[in-house]
Amino acid sequence: MPASSHPTSPLIEPLGSDVTEIHIMPGFGNRLQVVFHGTQGMPEAMPGAVASVTVYGDGRISYEPLPEVTA
């Protein structure tokens, strides 16, 4: 499955060969939560939320982190 760290910049990485499903769920404030389901073990949620997700047909996934909020 993809790395389990929250991205700090746009990130494109290959999907693990055991990923069978990707659930992208809406959250509050234009946030998305990403959960990877695979052939081994329990589903793995990507920590934190992201602003956008793109899944490519060639086995890659791209995430865009949420913009920094300044007070």
Side-chain angles (χ1 to χ4, degrees):
M1 290 190 192
S4 295
S5 61
H6 184 67
T8 57
S9 63
L11 175 67
I12 297 175
E13 61 183 29
L15 290 169
S17 61
D18 68 329
V19 174
T20 58
E21 289 183 41
I22 302 168
H23 292 189
I24 302 168
M25 299 165 285
F28 294 106
N30 297 326
R31 297 170 185 236
L32 299 171
Q33 179 66 49
V34 181
V35 179
F36 301 97
H37 296 259
T39 57
Q40 304 290 322
M42 298 293 293
E44 181 182 331
M46 188 174 77
V50 295
S52 67
V53 178
T54 303
V55 180
Y56 300 93
D58 64 359
R60 296 176 298 140
I61 187 167
S62 169
Y63 345 102
E64 179 73 32
L66 291 169
E68 294 281 330
V69 176
T70 57

